[in-house]
Amino acid sequence: MRRFEFGLHISAQDYLPYYRGDIRHVVARCADGRTVQFPATLLLPFVSSGGIRGSFVLTCDDNGKGAQLQRR
């Protein structure tokens, strides 16, 4: 199991291309310096009128499959 911890601050306006499906993946820099890419659809439960803000944990298997995103 792989674990990635990162913070996101995406305004509602900046998230619109992800929401519409124009951009399909989010790239984030983890607290430990690694970079992780994941499907933008995983962020849908966390979208508010102000956008997306907070600390998150992404987990997936060793092959990068079965990704799950949780707010920390």
Side-chain angles (χ1 to χ4, degrees):
M1 185 72 72
R2 298 171 75 182
R3 179 181 170 97
F4 304 92
E5 297 182 31
F6 53 89
L8 287 178
H9 301 286
I10 304 172
S11 71
Q13 185 68 30
D14 288 341
Y15 187 70
L16 277 176
Y18 296 95
Y19 185 79
R20 288 188 291 233
D22 298 336
I23 301 173
R24 295 183 180 207
H25 293 93
V26 175
V27 177
R29 181 160 315 268
C30 299
D32 62 7
R34 294 181 292 171
T35 301
V36 63
Q37 177 178 307
F38 58 92
T41 56
L42 292 178
L43 290 173
L44 286 174
F46 307 104
V47 177
S48 71
S49 61
I52 299 170
R53 298 198 186 284
S55 296
F56 296 89
V57 176
L58 177 75
T59 55
C60 61
D61 69 16
D62 290 335
N63 296 319
K65 303 293 182 194
Q68 295 182 347
L69 188 64
Q70 296 178 327
R71 189 183 301 269
R72 238 175 70 152

